[in-house]
Amino acid sequence: MGATTIARQCTLCEAHCGILVTVEGDRVTRIEGNPDDVLSGGYICPKATAMGGLHHDPDRLRTPVRRVGDSFEPIGWDEAFTEIGRRLRKVRRAHGRSAIGMYLGNPAAHSSSAMYGLLLRVALLTRNFFTASSIDQFPQEFVAWRMFGNNVLMPIADIDRTDRLVILGANPAVSNGSITTMPNAKQRIRNVRRRGGKVVVIDPRRTETARLADEHIAVAPGGDVYLLLAVLHVLVTENLCDETVLRVPSTGWERLRELVADATPEQLAPHAGVAADDIRRFAREHAAAPSAVLYARVGVSQQVNGTLTHWLVNTINAVTGNLDRPGGQMFATPPIDAARFAKYLPMGYGAWTDRTGTYKSFRTELPVAALAEDILAEGAGRIRAMITYAGNPVLSTPQRGRLDAALESLDFYVAVDMYITETTRHADIILPPISPLEREEVDVLFSMFSVRNNLRYDARVFEPPADGLEDWQILARLTTEVAILPARRFTARVLNRLFRWASPMRVATLGVATGPYGVLRRGGKGLTVAKARAAAGGIDLGPLRPRLRSLIGTKRRKVRLMPEDFATAARAVLDDARRGRAITTPSDGYDLKLIGRRHLRSNNSWLHNVPAMVKGRDRCTALMHPADAAERGLTDGAPVTVTSRTGSIVVSLEVDDDIRRGTIAIPHGWGHREPGVGWSIAASLPGANVNLLHDPSLTDTFSGAAAVNNTWVTVARATPCP
Ligand SMILES: Nc1nc2c(c(=O)[nH]1)N[C@H]1C(S)=C(S)[C@@H](COP(=O)(O)OP(=O)(O)OC[C@H]3O[C@@H](n4cnc5c(=O)[nH]c(N)nc54)[C@H](O)[C@@H]3O)O[C@H]1N2
Ligand SMILES: Nc1nc2c(c(=O)[nH]1)N[C@H]1C(S)=C(S)[C@@H](COP(=O)(O)OP(=O)(O)OC[C@H]3O[C@@H](n4cnc5c(=O)[nH]c(N)nc54)[C@H](O)[C@@H]3O)O[C@H]1N2
Ligand code: SF4
Ligand SMILES: [Mo]
């Protein structure tokens, strides 16, 4: 049988590397990097082959299933949708709109079906909407909203042109970049140095990225806020920065100067875990570089001071003249320019709260930290039915181990997922989409965060099965089922017709045609999806260009360097530090800080059923410094019990001097040995759910995002089971 090769992208992580998929008959026989891809240029990581593994995985669901007792049996699509509609509407009639909750997970962002996820969210009119964003980039969006009046304006590090790249709380050598889409991050980082630039990594662990850098600063977990306040102090007091370098007018400069006037490196160094001299040198070198960019990602977001730290990152970039200019922080001009519209969207911060009144809504959603409680707590406003779409919150979010019981207690739960996971095993009905290799798409989201402007098209590798549905088709049907419709039978039919026509591909085609490069604006030479389809590696639309002025949504279009509530919170952080109280100070007998870690062959919780991704040694280990291990009489490979205020897990110890003393690192997304989990390979692997250790109430002060990098733990030799 002849082989054919099809160009598309790997959609597993934000890099969306171009791949060439070779198919013989109905089998994927090879996956290689596509050298013509305008962004990845032939690079792929080992996960790319998992695109084939997922497609062929016998454990992947191919038809809807309904729970009967402890197992699932196949049912037809129509029957499934009818039952779901009936039961969800019943819950709403009995308990109100917010009794239906929804959780949207990470892979949703990797397909254009996500727009239908949001449509479903709108149709639900519920207050109880949650996404993985509140354990991820929420603080960054919050800062973008406060500083630039537009939550989408999370700046991109212009890594390909900078003279100095400072990475805090990110490990792009493994993650390949996030909210700065940079496939082959390793090469891009090496190129900074080849150009004569300097790379600095600020991370409690000497990561794969730190190994590529000129300098590694082993900050204490949570110490970034002190470090950056001290850096700003040096920049301000030595007149190494000012507000005149901003290309867009700003407010708050004087208040910013006052804030850091006394925030000396000497005072803050112990809390940052970095020597005062190093802080001073860092600040001077940073100011002296022709262009320089601070790039921070989840390691910084997942902190109590996540918002404050991301604000300091953006502010330092701004007052050193590195905002909205090549080599600094920039904004893309994507083929569908969603940022232009986003500035008009209300963020509804605090428009409502969770039931305990602890967490404020932001961007029409509640922090996922509130999820289990909002289901379990007795009384009015309780969530009685759930929809999850492309998420595995049981493993990926801190819930004090209560989410299993919470999901089990629901009147009804429907999951849109292709696996029976730790989460979806609790569902009444699971609706599986077709495999990613059966989808045709254009990447509209990550082109908003790429290091170059581009448009790339994803061809189908296989025709979808006759009875297969894409995520968007499933979500569209769910939308009609839950929408409040007059004359339901008639209007539902009309809506379903309309949705069938409005496929994400059609919407994207229209969006691109009317976008900044589109044929409708630029005539015959303009961009179309058809042109991207004809170019097997996508279309390069050039380097990033300054454009903040046109996107900023604040009053009088000024950058807010010092939002008042940030000033208040930062003052409190400084006052506490002066009194010797810092997020980095151990307390109550807990003596080690727990942080996360990602592996090149893993992707959050869901690639562990593909044999090539999990072969070799146990990955879910606790990484500990040799001196910390010796102090506790622990040896490499030994099982250890890790205990926090909220829970306790057993994992193997990995002794390694790459990690800062007083810190341990355990990856998330493991712990698949739960009864009823449908991924047979994953369920045979060692590892535990690290989110059992994280306290859901430990969150970022402003956005409510989970602060999983600020958890205190103890570690002891595991006592063998009796
Ligand atoms: N402790 C700790 N916890 C963390 C993190 C951390 O660093 N430390 N990181 C956090 C981050 S950044 C994120 S983004 C979250 C991720 O958290 P989640 O999004 O909740 O979890 P994932 O592990 O990505 O689960 C994805 C689910 O989607 C399914 N899926 C995959 N592709 C598709 C598809 O195309 N369609 C549908 N319908 N389903 C699909 C998979 O089978 C899987 O069940 O985890 C967070 N959790
Ligand atoms: N291989 C692989 N790639 C992935 C994923 C994956 O699971 N595996 N997940 C994808 C997803 S959903 C996302 S959001 C991105 C995330 O992409 P990145 O942001 O690059 O994520 P991490 O690799 O978790 O890097 C976070 C870093 O922060 C460090 N850190 C922890 N605490 C602190 C702190 O207090 N201060 C500082 N300065 N650093 C700290 C950790 O040691 C770690 O090196 O990766 C994506 N790509
Ligand atoms: S870095 Fe790896 S997982 Fe991410 S898109 Fe590229 S090949 Fe896929
Ligand atoms: Mo993420």
Side-chain angles (χ1 to χ4, degrees):
M1 199 173 291
T4 47
T5 298
I6 292 142
R8 60 164 290 131
Q9 291 158 54
C10 167
T11 50
L12 293 173
C13 85
E14 278 167 60
H16 278 217
C17 299
I19 53 174
L20 297 172
V21 185
T22 303
V23 173
E24 289 175 46
D26 62 359
R27 301 292 303 178
V28 173
T29 52
R30 203 180 161 85
I31 293 185
E32 300 164 286
N34 178 1
D36 296 328
D37 186 278
V38 293
L39 208 58
S40 59
Y43 170 83
I44 48 169
C45 85
K47 285 194 293 304
T49 60
M51 291 289 281
L54 288 167
H55 181 79
H56 295 300
D57 188 348
D59 288 341
R60 181 167 63 82
L61 295 176
R62 284 156 173 89
T63 59
V65 291
R66 170 168 48 199
R67 188 140 71 120
V68 183
D70 286 339
S71 57
F72 286 94
E73 65 177 28
I75 54 165
W77 285 106
D78 284 333
E79 194 186 347
F81 286 121
T82 307
E83 179 169 340
I84 293 164
R86 188 174 52 76
R87 295 191 58 181
L88 288 178
R89 291 195 300 271
K90 188 174 161 202
V91 166
R92 188 172 55 207
R93 266 196 312 275
H95 307 287
R97 295 196 300 247
S98 295
I100 307 177
M102 177 170 172
Y103 175 85
L104 184 148
N106 169 277
H110 294 271
S111 107
S112 37
S113 291
M115 59 179 90
Y116 269 92
L118 299 178
L119 192 71
L120 173 60
R121 186 266 169 276
V122 172
L124 286 169
L125 293 169
T126 177
R127 293 183 163 197
N128 287 309
F129 177 59
F130 309 85
T131 74
S133 300
S134 57
I135 186 166
D136 189 339
Q137 85 286 359
F138 245 31
Q140 280 169 274
E141 284 190 52
F142 198 90
V143 169
W145 172 54
R146 276 287 206 263
M147 289 185 78
F148 310 130
N150 186 336
N151 70 310
V152 177
L153 291 188
M154 292 178 280
I156 301 160
D158 189 19
I159 175 169
D160 290 348
R161 287 182 288 183
T162 195
D163 297 296
R164 179 178 161 93
L165 172 66
V166 179
I167 300 174
L168 305 90
N171 187 11
V174 164
S175 66
N176 274 297
S178 177
I179 313 188
T180 292
T181 299
M182 45 169 143
N184 204 358
K186 272 180 150 175
Q187 194 52 48
R188 292 175 197 270
I189 291 167
R190 285 194 198 105
N191 289 347
V192 177
R193 300 182 64 190
R194 268 195 203 140
R195 292 196 297 270
K198 185 166 177 180
V199 179
V200 182
V201 171
I202 300 178
D203 196 302
R205 181 164 74 88
R206 195 189 313 131
T207 58
E208 296 77 355
T209 307
R211 291 181 181 284
L212 302 173
D214 297 274
E215 186 180 351
H216 170 224
I217 298 175
V219 68
D224 309 75
V225 71
Y226 312 103
L227 175 71
L228 295 184
L229 283 164
V231 166
L232 200 51
H233 167 89
V234 178
L235 293 173
V236 165
T237 52
E238 299 188 7
N239 292 319
L240 300 174
C241 69
D242 68 62
E243 90 284 24
T244 59
V245 293
L246 264 78
R247 287 153 192 253
V248 181
S250 65
T251 61
W253 169 243
E254 282 310 320
R255 275 181 291 135
L256 189 66
R257 289 173 57 104
E258 280 162 34
L259 174 81
V260 295
D262 303 325
T264 62
E266 288 67 26
Q267 191 186 108
L268 295 173
H271 304 305
V274 180
D277 285 349
D278 288 340
I279 299 178
R280 289 192 181 275
R281 182 178 47 82
F282 174 92
R284 289 169 193 148
E285 285 180 10
H286 199 76
S291 68
V293 64
L294 298 182
Y295 164 67
R297 223 1 223 122
V298 299
V300 161
S301 290
Q302 296 164 335
Q303 298 191 28
V304 170
N305 293 312
T307 290
L308 282 187
T309 310
H310 275 293
W311 158 66
L312 288 164
V313 164
N314 286 4
T315 298
I316 292 174
N317 282 322
V319 297
T320 53
N322 289 299
L323 175 62
D324 203 31
R325 79 120 187 243
Q329 274 188 323
M330 301 197 78
F331 305 95
T333 313
I336 300 180
D337 205 3
R340 275 197 174 271
F341 309 104
K343 68 179 174 193
Y344 301 111
L345 293 178
M347 287 298 106
Y349 182 49
W352 62 87
T353 66
D354 69 313
R355 290 170 66 209
T356 64
T358 315
Y359 303 108
K360 290 185 174 138
S361 60
F362 173 57
R363 220 187 57 176
T364 80
E365 60 182 271
L366 285 171
V368 73
L371 179 58
E373 184 69 16
D374 269 1
I375 299 174
L376 286 171
E378 300 280 343
R382 194 171 168 190
I383 298 176
R384 308 300 294 271
M386 274 298 292
I387 302 173
T388 63
Y389 160 38
N392 192 3
V394 167
L395 289 194
S396 54
T397 67
Q399 305 284 345
R400 275 198 195 94
R402 300 166 75 210
L403 194 54
D404 285 301
L407 293 172
E408 211 43 53
S409 76
L410 292 166
D411 292 348
F412 187 66
Y413 166 25
V414 53
V416 184
D417 203 298
M418 57 261 249
Y419 284 104
I420 303 173
T421 70
E422 296 69 23
T423 302
T424 64
R425 72 192 161 120
H426 299 292
D428 293 287
I429 292 181
I430 308 177
L431 305 171
I434 54 174
S435 108
L437 292 183
E438 291 161 345
R439 304 198 295 233
E440 179 199 33
E441 305 199 274
V442 285
D443 172 16
V444 294
L445 182 62
F446 295 114
S447 58
M448 291 168 62
F449 300 105
S450 287
V451 287
R452 283 183 76 85
N453 296 314
N454 69 88
L455 179 65
R456 297 186 290 165
Y457 166 80
D458 274 333
R460 284 186 214 283
V461 173
F462 297 105
E463 278 309 307
D467 60 347
L469 294 182
E470 294 191 40
D471 275 311
W472 71 270
Q473 293 168 310
I474 298 170
L475 296 159
R477 283 292 295 272
L478 291 178
T479 302
T480 28
E481 290 299 338
V482 301
I484 298 168
L485 300 175
R488 159 156 288 282
R489 276 172 80 185
F490 172 73
T491 32
R493 232 185 0 243
V494 174
L495 261 188
N496 281 338
R497 280 257 167 85
L498 181 76
F499 287 157
R500 231 175 327 211
W501 182 85
S503 70
M505 270 306 280
R506 284 215 174 95
V507 174
T509 302
L510 195 68
V512 168
T514 54
Y517 311 88
V519 302
L520 294 178
R521 289 227 202 144
R522 300 204 173 176
K525 288 213 169 96
L527 189 63
T528 60
V529 166
K531 286 181 185 170
R533 185 187 284 136
I539 295 176
D540 179 49
L541 298 165
L544 306 184
R545 303 186 290 274
R547 66 180 312 229
L548 179 57
R549 216 181 269 268
S550 67
L551 299 174
I552 195 162
T554 50
K555 267 195 205 135
R556 292 184 289 137
R557 297 176 143 204
K558 290 187 175 178
V559 173
R560 297 170 73 203
L561 291 175
M562 176 91 274
E564 198 41 58
D565 48 356
F566 291 5
T568 310
R571 263 182 229 115
V573 164
L574 285 170
D575 287 347
D576 279 351
R578 272 177 209 121
R579 293 191 199 106
R581 281 204 309 262
I583 196 80
T584 48
T585 328
S587 60
D588 299 349
Y590 293 92
D591 55 354
L592 290 162
K593 212 45 167 303
L594 169 63
I595 61 169
R597 154 176 134 238
R598 284 176 156 77
H599 191 280
L600 198 53
R601 285 177 187 268
S602 175
N603 195 30
N604 298 322
S605 75
W606 68 284
L607 285 190
H608 304 154
N609 211 48
V610 178
M613 297 299 112
V614 291
K615 65 172 191 254
R617 52 184 295 195
D618 178 10
R619 302 252 174 70
C620 184
T621 58
L623 211 65
M624 184 186 268
H625 191 274
D628 287 326
E631 218 169 75
R632 290 163 181 78
L634 302 171
T635 48
D636 189 63
V640 291
T641 306
V642 186
T643 306
S644 73
R645 279 195 192 89
T646 55
S648 172
I649 61 171
V650 176
V651 289
S652 300
L653 190 72
E654 193 174 334
V655 178
D656 187 324
D657 66 4
D658 278 342
I659 190 147
R660 189 188 152 94
R661 277 210 69 180
T663 307
I664 66 163
I666 304 178
H668 69 283
W670 294 90
H672 301 290
R673 295 170 172 233
E674 297 295 330
V677 165
W679 33 37
S680 51
I681 292 169
S684 71
L685 299 170
N689 178 2
V690 76
N691 277 315
L692 296 176
L693 300 176
H694 297 300
D695 182 348
S697 69
L698 194 69
T699 55
D700 169 45
T701 316
F702 289 92
S703 68
V708 293
N709 283 325
N710 291 162
T711 300
W712 286 103
V713 295
T714 56
V715 176
R717 193 191 310 259
T719 38
C721 296

